[in-house]
Amino acid sequence: MGHREDLLAGAKECLYDKGFGRTTARDIVAASKTNLASIGYHFGSKEALLTEALVQATAEWGEELERALTVDPDPADGPMERFERTWTRVIDLYATHHRLWSIAVEGIAQVGRIPEMRKVLAEAQDIAREELALTFHTSGDDDERTRVLGAVYQALLTGVMVQWLVDPGTAPSGRDLAQALRMIAGAGELRG
């Protein structure tokens, strides 16, 4: 690897260990075994380097999520069983890729300060919404239906991810989510 790739790898490791706000240029240099001048030469600033590393980590998060969503369903499963199994796979990612999920949440927190991060996450969110909607529902040609369903699944994904990061012991399982959906669907009229 060259210095640029070494810096990105070191910055990503620092993001996982210390987070965006607590990582110093010296931390990155130590992790990458490069020098301070390399940061300026290749990226212009520590913030630009950390942003690029955060963008890469977010892309890795998206790839892991896509793999979990695109597993072929069991043909014997009904819609609720498929829902439960899919969310169980997604939640398993939280447990096995905790550092990756943490950095994804930190990326979300940076969108107000880093316009590039907002752009990258907005694009990824659009893709995830469509994939989530099509994971659970037939495609059809109704873009509005796909958008609305995808937005709800995206809200569920983000909310579950945050719950797992804060307190895995009380965060919902795939089974909990399926049970809640059954309760919501069977609730009839909502309270006014």
Side-chain angles (χ1 to χ4, degrees):
M1 275 196 292
H3 274 210
R4 180 178 173 79
E5 293 79 19
D6 291 340
L7 285 166
L8 280 167
K12 217 181 306 180
E13 193 59 40
C14 289
L15 285 172
Y16 291 137
D17 292 341
K18 294 183 139 201
F20 196 98
R22 293 182 46 223
T23 295
T24 67
R26 293 191 189 285
D27 294 330
I28 297 168
V29 167
S32 64
K33 297 177 178 52
T34 60
N35 58 64
L36 284 172
S38 293
I39 294 173
Y41 177 78
H42 290 288
F43 296 94
S45 69
K46 174 195 81 163
E47 287 74 21
L49 168 56
L50 285 172
T51 298
E52 180 63 27
L54 193 54
V55 166
Q56 285 187 8
T58 301
E60 291 170 13
W61 170 78
E63 290 166 9
E64 289 293 330
L65 178 61
E66 185 176 349
R67 278 193 280 281
L69 292 174
T70 57
V71 172
D72 288 333
D74 184 334
D77 282 349
M80 288 309 292
E81 291 82 14
R82 183 176 178 194
F83 178 91
E84 182 177 331
R85 285 184 202 269
T86 300
W87 282 101
T88 297
R89 282 192 310 273
V90 169
I91 289 167
D92 286 347
L93 287 176
Y94 299 147
T96 60
H97 293 77
H98 181 79
R99 291 176 6 147
L100 194 55
W101 298 108
S102 293
I103 203 66
V105 170
E106 187 157 4
I108 293 167
Q110 296 298 325
V111 298
R113 293 179 208 92
I114 304 171
E116 180 185 352
M117 183 56 61
R118 178 182 300 275
K119 180 179 181 264
V120 167
L121 288 178
E123 290 169 2
Q125 184 170 273
D126 286 344
I127 293 166
R129 282 179 176 169
E130 184 172 358
E131 287 179 4
L132 284 161
L134 297 178
T135 294
F136 300 105
H137 304 278
T138 57
S139 61
D141 291 328
D142 189 347
D143 291 340
E144 180 64 9
R145 180 177 183 266
T146 300
R147 185 193 67 77
V148 170
L149 287 168
V152 169
Y153 286 120
Q154 182 71 40
L156 184 60
L157 174 72
T158 305
V160 171
M161 178 171 48
V162 169
Q163 289 182 59
W164 268 87
L165 289 171
V166 172
D167 186 4
T170 62
S173 66
R175 178 173 295 202
D176 293 337
L177 295 174
Q179 182 178 358
L181 188 58
R182 286 182 193 99
M183 290 175 185
I184 291 168
E189 256 183 67
L190 296 176
R191 288 177 30 177

